[in-house]
Amino acid sequence: MIDVTDLTKSYGPIQALSGVSFNIAEGEIVGLLGPNGAGKTTIIKILTGYLQPDEGVVHVNGLDVLQHRREVQAQIGYLPETAPLYPELSVQAYLKMMADLRQIPVEEQLARLSEAIYATGLQGHLTRPIGELSKGFRQRVGLAQAILHQPKLLILDEPTVGLDPTQIVEIRHLIRRLADHSTVLFSTHI
């Protein structure tokens, strides 16, 4: 699913990555573990096509990320460390908007929305504004938007940061369930 060869990236005089290579098979759950500043987010941004490497080759599901960025992005569900949520929208309105942005056909939206809502345990919070949710439930909303289009690859950047121990356990269980349908790559310093 992911094939990274000799990845290098610098930010001015600071070298974030130097000769990073790894492979992740379809259906695996893999964690990038390291302290803040270790390059985890840089790897994720390169994998998702949001950042170009200085050197190296990255393939996702057989496609070169630099040459086929849009096609690769269409296969990825991505949750950045700070989920891009709209606090004034209800959970339901936000997820519907994301389904429209993902160009999920209208006739498939109800099924996809229901799947994502039940997978993330949001069914009791659909009419609540996102801004009124706890951090744990906001993370669930972010995860729901990341899986709406049934991605082959799910990338989660620090999905448990700032959560309490119970919420961390719940998110880890959720990640295991999501791996039934997607390869999962997540970063963590824990």
Side-chain angles (χ1 to χ4, degrees), residues 44-184:
I44 285 173
K45 286 182 177 180
I46 291 170
L47 285 171
T48 56
Y50 292 109
L51 188 64
Q52 289 192 356
D54 296 335
E55 295 177 27
V57 180
V58 180
H59 288 92
V60 171
N61 201 22
L63 296 173
D64 184 308
V65 174
L66 292 177
Q67 294 177 7
H68 303 280
R69 185 172 53 92
R70 293 272 186 204
E71 294 95 328
V72 168
Q73 288 175 337
Q75 296 181 41
I76 295 174
Y78 177 45
L79 177 63
E81 185 173 345
T82 304
L85 303 174
Y86 295 90
E88 68 281 358
L89 291 180
S90 69
V91 171
Q92 181 175 311
Y94 173 75
L95 293 176
K96 170 69 170 111
M97 178 185 75
M98 295 307 296
D100 290 338
L101 289 172
R102 283 282 186 185
Q103 299 177 345
I104 297 171
V106 174
E107 60 274 6
E108 293 179 27
Q109 283 189 11
L110 182 59
R112 297 278 187 92
L113 288 164
S114 295
E115 244 176 60
I117 288 163
Y118 282 100
T120 55
L122 289 169
Q123 54 272 29
H125 303 278
L126 295 177
T127 59
R128 291 187 61 195
I130 292 170
E132 293 179 8
L133 299 175
S134 69
K135 181 155 176 73
F137 274 99
R138 287 194 306 269
Q139 283 294 88
R140 288 171 184 253
V141 173
L143 279 169
Q145 70 77 27
I147 64 172
L148 270 177
H149 62 295
Q150 300 174 332
K152 294 180 181 211
L153 175 60
L154 186 57
I155 298 178
L156 312 171
D157 193 0
E158 299 280 356
T160 60
V161 73
L163 301 181
D164 66 41
T166 302
Q167 292 171 324
I168 290 171
V169 170
E170 289 173 357
I171 294 296
R172 286 181 181 165
H173 286 282
L174 177 56
I175 290 169
R176 281 192 199 106
R177 287 195 311 271
L178 294 174
D180 290 342
H181 306 287
S182 302
T183 301
V184 179

Side-chain angles (χ1 to χ4, degrees), residues 17-35:
L17 304 174
S18 177
V20 175
S21 297
F22 62 89
N23 297 40
I24 299 174
E26 190 173 332
E28 286 188 303
I29 301 175
V30 176
L32 295 173
L33 177 63

